[in-house]
Amino acid sequence: MLRIEPSGAALGAEIVGVDLSKTLDDATFDAIVAAYHEHEVVFFRGQTLTPEQHIAFSRRFGELELHVRADRCRPGYPELFVVSNVIENGKPIGSQDAGLFWHSDLCYMAEPSRGSIFYAREVPIADDGRPLGDTLFASATAAYNALPDSTKQRIAGLKAVNSYEKGYYRDRKSGGRPPLTEEQKRRTPDIEHPVVRTHPFTGRQCLFVNEGYTSAIAGMDGPDGETLLNTLLEHATQQRFIYRHRWRVGDLLIWDNCSTQHLAVPDYELPRRRVMERATVRGSRPF
Ligand code: OGA
Ligand code: MN
């Protein structure tokens, strides 16, 4: 039987006693989903998974996205977006600069992702044995709940503009990305979502803005809008809302893209290798 061990932070729990390479019975899968909704980030240590097994487990959550950057997916597996610093035959095997700003995956789409299922194949290790390349997760429900009532009232019903292009070109400065193609641009027009989003499964309220992709409060073009957005962004990622994941090879971690946002810590470089693979579960229109 599986066991849930909460991290002690505002979010995050380890699930112990599950082998994800096996087909799980419905009761076990339902218990995982319940823990995922409750803790917003859940992880399993010590998993040995083929790409097929990673995809099969992920599919039980719903249909999978094919990333807009097809050239950064695992060859033969368009469902697996690769995040890595490794270069093979002169070509990066994955995205080298994913997640350098706080964000939630696919928030710039009309139907943002329900969750991302991230598998650690290679983790960089410091000389003293510590893992490098941690990922930070911030609870968007804890952030919402901690807002002053006056702010909650002020932002109720507001929408924010989310822009893939904004995030892409800012990241690009740090990583030398090619310009977006017309096809990529066509797939990612700017989109408005509620600033406060209701979680489609738990009904919890989530503060759904992030520094990576949220470019403005809709209809507030002046300095007031900018100040409000910056206040919300700063509020959302305070230490008290954060769980920091220290990766080990064989971790499989699931994060909720409605109730959390995340940030990569780029504190390593080659020859220390990092190879991670992400399956991305399709979500629904925010409300
Ligand atoms: C991602 C991402 C962060 C990391 O894959 O969506 O943001 O630590 N990754 O690699
Ligand atoms: Mn991400």
Side-chain angles (χ1 to χ4, degrees):
M1 211 28 222
L2 58 76
R3 208 171 66 238
I4 315 284
E5 296 186 350
S7 69
L11 71 169
E14 178 173 359
I15 301 181
V16 183
V18 183
D19 178 353
L20 297 172
S21 70
K22 306 265 161 55
T23 304
L24 305 177
D25 59 49
D26 287 343
T28 303
F29 184 71
D30 291 349
I32 291 170
V33 172
Y36 167 59
H37 288 155
E38 174 65 22
H39 297 284
E40 305 176 343
V41 167
V42 292
F43 59 92
F44 308 81
R45 301 279 195 193
Q47 304 294 318
T48 306
L49 299 178
T50 63
E52 286 79 8
Q53 289 164 339
H54 180 184
I55 290 169
F57 173 68
S58 302
R59 278 235 171 92
R60 292 188 69 171
F61 287 82
E63 241 183 288
L64 302 183
E65 297 281 354
L66 308 183
H67 200 275
V68 65
R69 302 184 69 199
D71 60 328
R72 292 297 179 263
C73 292
R74 181 171 170 138
Y77 300 93
E79 306 89 344
L80 294 181
F81 178 63
V82 179
V83 177
S84 181
N85 63 343
V86 173
I87 306 210
E88 264 165 23
N89 305 318
K91 187 177 171 294
I93 66 165
S95 173
Q96 296 173 284
D97 49 9
L100 300 181
F101 297 91
W102 282 102
H103 69 286
S104 107
D105 296 334
L106 274 55
C107 64
Y108 45 80
M109 302 295 277
E111 298 185 341
S113 161
R114 173 181 178 193
S116 297
I117 304 183
F118 208 55
Y119 183 50
R121 292 199 175 275
E122 296 186 50
V123 175
I125 302 288
D127 289 341
D128 64 5
R130 271 183 317 115
L132 298 168
D134 296 351
T135 308
L136 272 50
F137 298 91
S139 171
T141 51
Y144 176 76
N145 291 336
L147 285 170
D149 283 339
S150 57
T151 308
K152 286 181 182 166
Q153 280 157 19
R154 181 160 181 226
I155 63 178
L158 289 183
K159 293 195 166 194
V161 181
N162 291 272
S163 164
Y164 181 67
E165 209 166 354
K166 171 195 160 171
Y168 186 89
Y169 283 107
R170 191 164 62 169
D171 282 1
R172 188 170 173 247
K173 283 189 200 131
S174 53
R177 296 178 168 191
L180 285 175
T181 63
E182 287 307 313
E183 163 68 7
Q184 286 171 325
K185 273 195 232 169
R186 198 184 53 72
R187 279 185 64 185
T188 57
D190 286 3
I191 187 101
E192 289 183 10
H193 291 311
V195 169
V196 182
R197 210 185 142 179
T198 304
H199 194 284
F201 293 93
T202 67
R204 293 174 181 165
Q205 302 291 92
C206 308
L207 186 58
F208 197 62
V209 289
N210 64 74
E211 69 166 343
Y213 296 108
T214 309
S215 56
I217 304 288
M220 290 180 73
D221 292 336
D224 282 3
E226 204 170 305
T227 305
L228 175 60
L229 178 58
N230 287 336
T231 305
L232 295 174
L233 294 178
E234 251 174 60
H235 170 85
T237 56
Q238 293 171 64
Q239 191 57 41
R240 60 185 167 140
F241 308 136
I242 290 178
Y243 164 68
R244 179 176 187 130
H245 191 74
R246 294 181 174 79
W247 296 98
R248 296 181 204 158
V249 171
D251 283 356
L252 184 125
L253 183 148
I254 316 174
W255 65 76
D256 189 312
N257 282 310
C258 176
S259 59
T260 75
Q261 48 178 298
H262 57 280
L263 175 72
V265 179
D267 60 353
Y268 59 92
E269 50 189 45
L270 290 173
R272 294 189 167 95
R273 292 164 56 104
R274 188 174 191 263
V275 181
M276 317 294 257
E277 290 176 354
R278 186 186 97 192
T280 314
V281 182
R282 202 165 276 188
S284 49
R285 181 176 286 276
F287 57 89

